[in-house]
């Protein structure tokens, strides 16, 4: 898919719903407005300053993605005020180092309903898609509101290298979060879906996140597994996590009988009950119960995504090693 430019109405709609600032074309109104935005302690000071406008007033508008400089080496911060914005956003490869910040989860929401049944591909169904490297999102929600009856309904798609999702919610049904490729980090966020709702070829660490399974229908709870090998060389490790009793005893599900079961790498390490009981787990060649911490250090933030080399510059909290 060739990335498309954001809908021009995105800027206008967000600015209008934000309740101030007009189209963002001039400075005269911007100098007069102030907001009561609380200081986001996780922002580095230089990034917080980018949210300020002349004479110390706080930004009171949203800038369209299309206005971001091409291939920027500096952080470009976009503040999205409280509201539900029913638009589709595509951050192209040339738009790097964008930081988009809302007022909080459940308050700033970007919402869509594209889906497979209505003619969208899995890639193009995404409400929010990002390719440009160094992307950061904080304190907001991305959602696809299409129900479970229309198959693939991506809420957030990322192939942004060295990107971060922090204190966000990503909500959908099937295929909610599509980590398409490259290196990503997700912290203190909530991912909600039904089937295969975190997937893709990206190298990602989820730390202090909630991963929640919806009921497929109002009165039916899905049988819940930790994962299944949708493609070759599937790799996933669940470590130092709380697993609820919604998890099936076997833990993992085959994709098509024995396909890929000998070339996957699935593992569990030091998880908490009640869903962490290992007694009834699958007996696949590629499944491992790990007891030695030395074996899982390769999956920590420091080593798996080389987080110590790039996460400090984002200002986002992270733990580079094991919790224990």
């Amino acid at each position: 898919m060739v990335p498309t430019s954001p809908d021009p109405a995105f800027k206008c709609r967000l600015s209008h719903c934000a309740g101030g600032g007009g189209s963002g074309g001039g400075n005269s109104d911007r100098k007069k407005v102030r907001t009561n935005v609380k200081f986001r302690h996780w922002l580095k000071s230089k990034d917080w300053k980018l949210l300020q406008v002349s004479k110390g007033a706080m930004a009171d508008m949203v800038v369209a993605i299309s206005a971001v400089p091409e291939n920027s080496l500096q952080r470009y911060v976009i503040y999205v005020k409280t509201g539900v914005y029913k638009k589709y956003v595509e951050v192209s490869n040339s738009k790097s180092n964008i930081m988009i910040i809302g007022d909080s989860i459940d308050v700033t929401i970007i919402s869509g309903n594209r889906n497979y049944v209505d003619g969208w591909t899995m890639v193009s169904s995404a409400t929010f898609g990002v390719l440009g490297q160094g992307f950061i999102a904080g304190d907001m929600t991305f959602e696809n509101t299409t129900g479970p009856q229309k198959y693939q309904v991506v809420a957030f798609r990322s192939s942004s290298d060295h990107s971060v999702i922090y204190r966000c919610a990503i909500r959908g049904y099937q295929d909610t979060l599509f980590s398409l490729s490259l290196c990503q980090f997700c912290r203190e966020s909530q991912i909600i879906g039904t089937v295969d709702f975190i997937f893709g070829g990206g190298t990602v660490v989820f730390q202090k996140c909630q991963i929640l399974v919806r009921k497929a229908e109002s009165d039916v709870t899905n049988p819940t597994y930790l994962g299944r090998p949708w493609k070759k060389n599937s790799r996933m490790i669940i470590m130092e996590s709380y697993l609820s009793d919604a998890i099936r005893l076997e833990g993992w599900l085959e994709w098509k009988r024995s396909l890929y079961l000998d070339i996957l790498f699935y593992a569990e390490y030091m998880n908490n009950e009640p869903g962490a009981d290992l007694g009834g787990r699958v007996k696949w060649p590629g499944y491992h119960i790990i007891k030695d911490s030395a074996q899982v250090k390769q999956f920590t933030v420091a080593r798996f995504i080389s987080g110590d080399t790039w996460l400090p510059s984002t200002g986002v909290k992270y733990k580079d090693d094991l919790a224990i």
Side-chain angles (χ1 to χ4, degrees):
M1 175 184 174
V2 177
T4 58
S5 298
D7 188 329
F10 179 63
K11 176 177 69 173
C12 298
R13 183 158 181 102
L14 293 187
S15 297
H16 173 73
C17 290
S23 65
N27 290 328
S28 59
D29 290 337
R30 292 168 65 186
K31 293 178 181 179
K32 299 175 183 177
V33 296
R34 291 180 181 270
T35 71
N36 58 358
V37 181
K38 294 181 179 179
F39 181 80
R40 291 168 176 79
H41 62 85
W42 61 273
L43 287 178
K44 295 183 76 66
S45 60
K46 64 180 181 180
D47 292 331
W48 177 251
K49 290 176 181 178
L50 290 174
L51 282 174
Q52 297 177 321
V53 294
S54 59
K55 295 187 178 179
M58 301 307 302
D60 199 17
M61 63 190 66
V62 176
V63 180
I65 300 295
S66 58
V68 176
E70 299 285 310
N71 302 307
S72 175
L73 297 178
Q74 303 297 319
R75 188 85 69 210
Y76 195 95
V77 181
I78 298 173
Y79 167 45
V80 187
K81 292 190 70 176
T82 297
V84 178
Y85 307 114
K86 295 184 178 181
K87 286 294 176 182
Y88 301 92
V89 184
E90 185 78 18
V91 180
S92 69
N93 263 320
S94 64
K95 305 296 185 179
S96 55
N97 292 310
I98 291 176
M99 176 185 286
I100 184 167
I101 302 170
D103 279 327
S104 74
I105 290 177
D106 292 327
V107 170
T108 300
I109 301 171
I110 299 179
S111 181
N113 62 0
R114 289 177 177 171
N115 60 83
Y116 175 81
V117 172
D118 290 343
W120 300 94
T121 65
M122 184 165 58
V123 171
S124 64
S125 70
T127 301
F128 197 103
V130 55
L131 290 86
Q133 69 175 4
F135 176 83
I136 302 173
D139 296 313
M140 60 193 308
T141 291
F142 306 93
E143 68 179 15
N144 190 315
T145 59
T146 306
Q149 71 279 4
K150 292 194 174 182
Y151 303 106
Q152 288 93 350
V153 291
V154 177
F156 190 93
R157 187 195 75 245
S158 178
S159 53
S160 171
D161 200 18
H162 291 175
S163 60
V164 174
I165 301 298
Y166 185 50
R167 300 198 316 200
C168 289
I170 302 174
R171 298 172 180 165
Y173 292 83
Q174 182 173 340
D175 298 346
T176 301
L177 172 57
F178 188 0
S179 174
L180 183 57
S181 62
L182 300 176
C183 180
Q184 299 153 32
F185 179 62
C186 187
R187 166 98 181 188
E188 294 176 36
S189 294
Q190 183 186 82
I191 303 98
I192 299 176
T194 54
V195 179
D196 299 337
F197 62 97
I198 300 176
F199 73 110
T203 303
V204 191
V205 173
F206 298 87
Q207 197 171 79
K208 294 184 73 68
C209 291
Q210 286 186 312
I211 298 174
L212 304 175
V213 181
R214 292 183 188 269
K215 292 182 177 181
E217 302 294 343
S218 60
D219 59 347
V220 179
T221 302
N222 286 352
T224 302
Y225 301 89
L226 297 173
R228 61 178 177 173
W230 181 53
K231 296 287 186 180
K232 291 182 178 179
N233 301 312
S234 181
R235 179 172 55 165
M236 181 176 177
I237 180 167
I238 309 292
M239 57 187 188
E240 300 182 320
S241 299
Y242 170 81
L243 305 181
S244 80
D245 57 6
I247 304 299
R248 294 287 294 263
L249 289 177
E250 56 268 46
W252 307 81
L253 179 67
E254 68 275 4
W255 173 249
K256 293 183 179 179
R257 297 185 180 179
S258 62
L259 188 65
Y260 308 142
L261 300 187
D262 57 342
I263 57 173
L264 58 78
F265 182 90
Y266 288 164
E268 295 180 61
Y269 170 77
M270 295 291 290
N271 297 310
N272 299 319
E273 303 280 5
D277 184 353
L278 301 175
R281 290 299 197 247
V282 296
K283 307 299 181 184
W284 303 341
Y287 171 70
H288 307 273
I289 297 172
I290 299 178
K291 298 181 180 179
D292 183 356
S293 63
Q295 292 182 268
V296 296
K297 283 185 177 291
Q298 62 181 308
F299 299 106
T300 59
V301 167
R303 295 181 60 179
F304 195 53
I305 59 173
S306 301
D308 288 340
T309 66
W310 59 277
L311 279 174
S313 68
T314 69
V316 170
K317 298 176 183 177
Y318 72 96
K319 185 170 180 59
D320 59 355
D321 206 341
L322 297 171
I324 299 174

